[in-house]
Amino acid sequence: QKEVEQDPGPLSVPEGAIVSLNCTYSNSAFQYFMWYRQYSRKGPELLMYTYSSGNKEDGRFTAQVDKSSKYISLFIRDSQPSDSATYLCAMNDYKLSFGAGTTVTVRA
Amino acid sequence: DTGVSQDPRHKITKRGQNVTFRCDPISEHNRLYWYRQTLGQGPEFLTYFQNEAQLEKSRLLSDRFSAERPKGSFSTLEIQRTEQGDSAMYLCASSPGTGQGNTEAFFGQGTRLTVV
C-alpha cells in the first residue's frame, strides 16, 4: 500500500462547476499538507500549504485536512478552462510524499 | 528569475552513457530535494540535502546515481551507465526548512531524460 493514495481520474467538469479532489494517507507522522498543480511537461507549482487539521481558503481554492480520518481535500470553485491540469497532493514528515495526481479537464 | 532553476531542460542520451543534471535552488534555501517522475505518476523521492549534507537516499537511488551539493548551494545529480528505465523527468525542489517544519517546497521545471 502506498503512503499516499489519490484517484488519478481523469475528471472532466463543465466551466463554472466545483472541482473536488481528495487524497488519503497512512503515515500519522505527516503534519504538513500541500496541493500542487502541474501542467503537461512542467514542474509542479505549489497551490496551497496547510499545517495540521482544518480549512484554508485562497481565492477560488479551499483545502481541507482531517487528520483523524487521514483525509485531505481540495475544492476549486467556479472552475475555469485554465484550471485544466494535473493536481498532486503532497504531505511530509521531512520529505514530500506525493499522490499519483488527478488529471482535471474543465470544459468551456 | 528567482525560482528553482534546472539545466538542461531536455537530455537525450544513448544507453550506457553518463549524464549530469544541475539544480540551482532558491537563494538561501537550506533544503534541496531530487525527485523522479514518470508518466502518470506523482514525483518519487530520490534524495535530499540539508545545506551540503546529504541526509537521506531512497532505495530508488541505485549505486549508478550520485548527488552532490558542494558548499550548500547548487546541486548535481549524475547517472552513470544510463538504462532505458532511467527515462523520466528529474525534478529538483528547494525549501527554507531547517527542521521538520517549514517544508513548503518549490520545484523547478525539471530535466526530461530520454535514454535511447
Side-chain angles (χ1 to χ4, degrees):
Chain A
Q1 182 186 7
K2 293 183 178 180
E3 271 193 317
V4 182
E5 297 282 356
Q6 182 177 8
D7 186 340
L11 189 61
S12 180
V13 301
E15 183 175 359
I18 294 175
V19 176
S20 174
L21 305 166
N22 57 76
C23 291
T24 59
Y25 63 94
S26 57
N27 187 346
S28 299
F30 290 143
Q31 297 184 58
Y32 297 85
F33 304 90
M34 282 143 276
W35 285 95
Y36 286 84
R37 178 174 61 196
Q38 187 173 30
Y39 294 112
S40 180
R41 297 181 175 270
K42 301 290 187 182
E45 171 194 9
L46 181 65
L47 280 178
M48 305 217 33
Y49 169 55
T50 309
Y51 172 70
S52 194
S53 287
N55 294 357
K56 185 174 183 178
E57 190 172 316
D58 183 0
R60 296 184 296 111
F61 298 88
T62 299
Q64 292 183 347
V65 175
D66 182 349
K67 290 190 71 179
S68 64
S69 301
K70 296 189 178 66
Y71 187 89
I72 71 170
S73 301
L74 177 71
F75 300 96
I76 307 173
R77 292 183 299 279
D78 188 26
S79 57
Q80 305 295 312
S82 58
D83 294 327
S84 298
T86 295
Y87 290 81
L88 297 155
C89 63
M91 45 203 79
N92 77 294
D93 38 15
Y94 59 92
K95 68 180 190 297
L96 290 175
S97 297
F98 283 86
T102 301
T103 300
V104 174
T105 300
V106 180
R107 307 186 306 272
Chain B
D1 186 351
T2 57
V4 178
S5 177
Q6 291 188 246
D7 184 70
R9 292 290 308 277
H10 305 276
K11 179 70 176 179
I12 300 174
T13 191
K14 291 183 178 180
R15 188 165 51 114
Q17 298 295 305
N18 299 343
V19 294
T20 300
F21 310 140
R22 177 181 170 120
C23 172
D24 288 272
I26 293 171
S27 179
E28 298 181 354
H29 274 192
N30 295 308
R31 286 194 176 176
L32 186 148
Y33 306 83
W34 284 99
Y35 284 80
R36 181 173 69 187
Q37 186 177 26
T38 53
L39 196 63
Q41 299 297 316
E44 295 175 299
F45 171 77
L46 292 178
T47 188
Y48 89 101
F49 293 83
Q50 179 74 36
N51 298 312
E52 67 274 11
Q54 187 173 17
L55 297 186
E56 183 169 332
K57 295 192 291 186
S58 162
R59 61 182 180 276
L60 293 175
L61 213 66
S62 75
D63 56 6
R64 296 185 297 106
F65 289 71
S66 62
E68 294 182 344
R69 192 183 182 195
K71 303 178 183 178
S73 56
F74 72 92
S75 177
T76 58
L77 177 68
E78 181 183 15
I79 309 174
Q80 296 182 327
R81 306 181 302 282
T82 52
E83 301 173 356
Q84 287 189 323
D86 297 331
S87 297
M89 173 83 90
Y90 289 84
L91 293 162
C92 176
S94 70
S95 77
T98 55
Q100 283 197 355
N102 197 13
T103 53
E104 186 178 10
F106 298 89
F107 281 82
Q109 292 301 303
T111 294
R112 182 167 296 280
L113 173 66
T114 302
V115 181
V116 297

